[in-house]
Structure formats: structure tokens, C-alpha cells
Amino acid sequence: QWQENGLLLVYRSARDFEAYESSVSELRSEFEIQIDRYDAEQVCKLEPMLREDLAGGWHFPGDAHLSPVKLLAQLRSDIQGAGGAIREQTGIQELTFDGDRLSSIRTGSGERFVADAFIFTTGAEAASLGRQLGLDLPVVPGKGYSVTIDCADGMPVTPMIFEDDHVAVTPLGDSFRIGSTMQLTGFSRSIPPQRIELLKRSARRHLRSPLPKGPETQWSGWRPMMPDGIPCIGRSPRAANAFVAAGNGMIGMATGPATGKLAAELALSLVPHLDPHPYRAS
């Protein structure tokens, strides 16, 4: 479901809409990113499903979006097709070291895995294993919520962020997703009904049509947040053959390919394609 429909930042507040101009100038000059301005009447022509009482929007035509679930299903198929094995719902119970090397890991099912190198991509839970690897990783879970409605009739075709509420809406083929919020509440997977209602309320404030009545899926997840927003990608000080790659925050989909490439280069002692120093795990 890869779609190149751009990204639209939508504003109800005229003051905030105008204030974003300074950020637009910086993005254009420093990063050569195309950003188009749409005033109130114009933004409704770009995305007819928006209400007419909005201040305007800033459109990033170079952005694209996809279905994370379908991407992961394809990656799983590719890994298994290449001879890789996947163990689901399996925690790591023990790390075994031999001098300055990690010799094996044991899982909750009792299996022991031996390898030349290990890369730990443990997301928001990176701090726990990091301590065993000699690292103090300040990765914490930033909890977010979404609701996916299994019907996209009358919904926008452009991915948007309603900037006044910090709520994102994403068309996903035959379904439609509304997501947002950032809670630093630890490792909780609860989904309070009021959180889902806040998402829907924001959509109603911005969209011309009522939300579809189709079946819906409510979800919560943990973003791996870092205090400075820079991920940890590097070698463990305790084991020369153990590496971590975690802390990509809210842009894991965008930064995942480069993170994976850098982690592989470090594990294989190849020349990195970018300077690894800012991301070092130490």
C-alpha cells in the first residue's frame, strides 16, 4: 500500500498557521524540501473532505506512506525466504559471555542460540538488556494510541496531521486510521476509552463527513523515546560482538533502513555509510 500522496499539516488556528512559515523557510533553504502553502479555500480543494472553517495547511508533496502491518508481513516473508528463522512471543532470559564476547543467548522457551554477532533491536524495552551489555540506555516508552476503522468511505485520501490537536489521520486502502498522543506512563498496554474518543473528536472537528460506521481496531504501542531524539546504534562496551540499535522515537519507519544498514556495517566491520559517532551507544 505504498502511496505517494504527500503529507498535509492542517491548522484551525490562523496564528499557528502563519507562525509555521519560519520553519518552512528553514526546511526549504537547508534541506531543499518542497513545501506548498494552501490557504483556507485552497486546502479544501486539495483535500475536499476537510471542513471549510480551517485556517489553511502546509503540504509536503514528497512524503509517502504505507501500511506498517503489510510491510512487516512482507519483511517476515523475505527473511524466511532467505533462510532466516523467527521466534515469536519469545523473551530473552539469559546472556552468556566468554571473556569480551557474547557467546550465546537463552530464550524463555529454553532454546540457546550461538552466533558470531548479535544485534539487539529491542525498541522501548532496550534499557533492560542494555544493562546486561554494559550500557545505560535512556530509552523510555512513549505510549501512543490509534483506532483503525475498516471502512474508508467518505474519508480523506491525503495523510494529514491536525496540528492544533497533534492528531494524525492516515488512509490505508480500504481502512482509515486516526492516531496520536504521547504518554510517559511506563510499560502499560491499557487503552482508556477516553483516549480513543479524543482521537475521534479531533477527526470530527476537521472533517466534513461523519466517521464511518465500520468495525474498528483500537491499539496502543510504545515509541522508543530518547531524551535528545537521537537513536542508539553501536557496540556494547562489554562484548565486542554485541550491538544495539534502538531509540528511533516517532520516526522508526523513516529511519529504519539507515539504522539497519549502519548496524549491519558495524557488525560486519565494514566502512559505515555515515558517521556513526553521534549514535554511539556509549
Side-chain angles (χ1 to χ4, degrees):
Q1 291 184 351
W2 175 268
Q3 298 176 59
E4 299 180 358
N5 291 347
L7 172 68
L8 180 62
L9 307 185
V10 179
Y11 290 83
R12 292 178 62 86
S13 164
R15 183 185 65 180
D16 292 342
F17 172 56
E18 297 295 344
Y20 193 68
E21 180 89 53
S22 60
S23 297
V24 169
S25 299
E26 183 178 358
L27 290 168
R28 285 172 175 165
S29 62
E30 291 200 26
F31 302 102
E32 299 181 356
I33 295 176
Q34 181 181 347
I35 309 170
D36 300 323
R37 176 189 173 116
Y38 288 84
D39 293 322
E41 184 177 344
Q42 296 171 321
V43 79
C44 290
K45 291 180 179 179
L46 175 67
E47 178 47 74
M49 293 300 105
L50 287 172
R51 293 168 57 109
E52 295 179 344
D53 57 351
L54 302 172
W58 295 96
H59 187 234
F60 293 71
D63 273 33
H65 74 284
L66 50 72
S67 165
V69 170
K70 294 194 174 185
L71 173 65
L72 289 176
Q74 183 64 56
L75 288 174
R76 174 193 176 113
S77 176
D78 290 349
I79 290 169
Q80 292 175 326
I86 296 175
R87 300 290 190 273
E88 294 189 16
Q89 305 298 324
T90 302
I92 295 175
Q93 296 296 313
E94 181 184 31
L95 305 182
T96 301
F97 296 88
D98 183 7
D100 65 349
R101 295 182 65 79
L102 177 60
S103 58
S104 68
I105 62 173
R106 181 174 60 81
T107 70
S109 64
E111 289 183 284
R112 187 172 293 277
F113 293 91
V114 177
D116 296 318
F118 300 83
I119 301 178
F120 296 91
T121 59
T122 45
E125 300 175 274
S128 176
L129 278 174
R131 286 189 287 271
Q132 298 182 60
L133 294 168
L135 293 165
D136 183 15
L137 300 177
V139 180
V140 298
K143 189 179 182 184
Y145 301 89
S146 75
V147 55
T148 302
I149 304 172
D150 294 341
C151 176
D153 292 345
M155 292 294 98
V157 297
T158 307
M160 294 184 286
I161 298 177
F162 303 144
E163 285 292 309
D164 299 71
D165 302 332
H166 301 294
V167 167
V169 295
T170 310
L172 294 172
D174 295 331
S175 61
F176 180 72
R177 176 169 295 166
I178 314 169
S180 184
T181 73
M182 173 70 75
Q183 283 186 304
L184 301 178
T185 57
F187 295 97
S188 165
R189 291 201 183 276
S190 65
I191 305 178
Q194 63 268 27
R195 288 284 168 178
I196 301 300
E197 180 54 33
L198 283 174
L199 300 179
K200 293 181 177 180
R201 185 185 308 168
S202 177
R204 296 188 195 105
R205 279 160 45 94
H206 291 81
L207 301 180
R208 189 186 301 269
S209 301
L211 293 177
K213 298 296 185 182
E216 62 181 47
T217 302
Q218 299 179 1
W219 178 88
S220 71
W222 306 324
R223 306 178 186 93
M225 305 303 296
M226 286 287 293
D228 59 4
I230 300 175
C232 303
I233 311 168
R235 189 188 308 270
S236 157
R238 183 176 179 186
N241 65 329
F243 304 82
V244 297
N248 293 63
M250 300 176 71
I251 52 172
M253 192 67 69
T255 59
T259 297
K261 184 175 182 179
L262 178 58
E265 290 164 343
L266 295 175
L268 296 171
S269 298
L270 303 176
V271 177
H273 74 285
L274 52 77
D275 180 8
H277 185 78
Y279 313 101
R280 63 198 186 284
S282 60

